[in-house]
Amino acid sequence: MLSALTTLFANESGIHVSLKAEPVFTIGGITVTNSMLFGVVVAAFMAIVLVMLAKKSSVKPVKGAVALLEMVMEFVIGVLEGAFGNRKQAIKYAPIFGTFFLFIMFSNILGLLPIVGPGIKSNNVPIFRPFTADLNGTLVMAVIAIVTVQVLSIRAQGFKGHFQHYFSDKPFNPINFFIGLLEVFGEFTRILSLALRLFLNTAVGEILIAVFTSLILANGRTPIAVIPIILFEVLVAGIQAYVFTVLSATYLALAIAHAHPEDEHHTVDAQKVEGLSV
């Protein structure tokens, strides 16, 4: 229904609005969509930038982009410390969850560039589409995050400890077994929660930008009208990266709380954190 409405709106107004990724080309029978292509470009760009900044990093105080990166990573460590309850674990898992945070930030902010969307087309199809504006893309990210949580939990406490996280130490008790099944089912709802929250916020932002750029003149020739929306989307990009990261970290912290009972009282309540959204 929503897709049909956006298609009708696009036809009536001349604005290109699409809630699904569109195929750009095919390689070996595999269709590459504009969101997949943009995701690869963002990942490559992020890797190059981070490697360059890492080479310039030092123990001495620095300025510029390196200082900004260190501030971002210190922020991520602080977020993880709140979830895990101690800085040692926060630093241990910072590279993993920091990657989630930075990729979402890079993807959302670079997705605001004029070349993304209808700015550059091939056969009337935009070559680039924000990766997080594609539900398939956010689902993949959510699956990777939850699978990562499972793997890290097993590594931290073994398969038995991870199993007891769901079914306790008495899995054949009918109540414990039923609760365990609900916990396992909850992992799938977490995937949907992470994916839909990220997708809807980005997709709605894309629609708002398309609408505001065509408020006065057709074909998106009023860039001034969209400046407030772009600034708002930058804020949303940061918030969504934060929410995705803190939720993923909290899921892991809850899973390994049995392996570190002394830190259990520091763990953030996942249900409260899941209430964070924009």
Side-chain angles (χ1 to χ4, degrees):
M1 180 65 179
L2 182 58
S3 178
L5 289 176
T6 53
T7 301
L8 176 62
F9 172 77
N11 293 335
E12 293 292 331
S13 63
I15 303 173
H16 182 87
V17 179
S18 176
L19 288 181
K20 66 177 183 178
E22 298 162 291
V24 179
F25 55 86
T26 303
I27 298 180
I30 300 177
T31 300
V32 178
T33 64
N34 45 13
S35 63
M36 292 169 59
L37 184 60
F38 184 72
V40 172
V41 171
V42 170
F45 177 78
M46 185 179 78
I48 293 172
V49 170
L50 293 181
V51 168
M52 292 177 59
L53 294 180
K55 291 182 178 180
K56 295 181 180 180
S57 181
S58 63
V59 293
K60 298 181 180 180
V62 291
K63 299 180 180 180
V66 176
L68 178 61
L69 176 62
E70 292 181 354
M71 289 176 58
V72 171
M73 290 309 301
E74 187 61 35
F75 171 77
V76 172
I77 291 174
V79 169
L80 299 181
E81 187 174 357
F84 292 108
N86 66 76
R87 189 172 180 83
K88 182 179 179 181
Q89 281 188 309
I91 294 175
K92 176 181 178 180
Y93 296 115
I96 296 173
F97 294 102
T99 300
F100 289 139
F101 182 87
L102 289 174
F103 180 79
I104 294 173
M105 283 289 293
F106 271 90
S107 180
N108 287 353
I109 293 178
L110 292 179
L112 299 174
L113 294 176
I115 62 173
V116 181
I120 301 179
K121 295 184 178 181
S122 175
N123 297 324
N124 204 35
V125 174
I127 295 180
F128 296 123
R129 173 187 175 86
F131 186 76
T132 50
D134 178 10
L135 183 57
N136 293 317
T138 58
L139 276 173
V140 168
M141 290 185 60
V143 169
I144 291 175
I146 296 301
V147 170
T148 300
V149 167
Q150 306 304 309
V151 172
L152 293 177
S153 176
I154 293 174
R155 290 181 60 182
Q157 57 189 347
F159 180 80
K160 181 180 179 181
H162 183 65
F163 180 82
Q164 290 179 351
H165 166 66
Y166 297 105
F167 297 95
S168 78
D169 57 345
K170 297 179 180 179
F172 297 107
N173 182 298
I175 296 179
N176 291 343
F177 182 75
F178 179 72
I179 293 176
L181 291 179
L182 291 180
E183 289 288 339
V184 173
F185 178 75
E187 296 295 341
F188 293 96
T189 62
R190 287 173 174 178
I191 292 176
L192 291 177
S193 174
L194 289 173
L196 289 175
R197 179 184 288 109
L198 190 55
F199 163 70
L200 290 175
N201 279 278
T202 308
V204 169
E206 290 293 302
I207 295 173
L208 286 176
I209 290 175
V211 171
F212 273 78
T213 52
S214 299
L215 275 179
I216 302 175
L217 300 176
N219 300 321
R221 290 177 288 174
T222 54
I224 294 179
V226 81
I227 290 178
I229 301 300
I230 291 179
L231 294 177
F232 177 72
E233 284 303 306
V234 172
L235 174 63
V236 171
I239 294 176
Q240 289 306 309
Y242 166 78
V243 171
F244 190 97
T245 303
V246 73
L247 284 177
S248 302
T250 300
Y251 297 151
L252 176 60
L254 291 173
I256 65 176
H258 303 285
H260 304 279
E262 69 278 3
D263 298 326
E264 190 170 359
H265 65 283
H266 293 291
T267 305
V268 179
D269 187 349
Q271 294 182 348
K272 293 181 180 179
V273 179
E274 286 180 354
L276 294 171
S277 63
V278 176

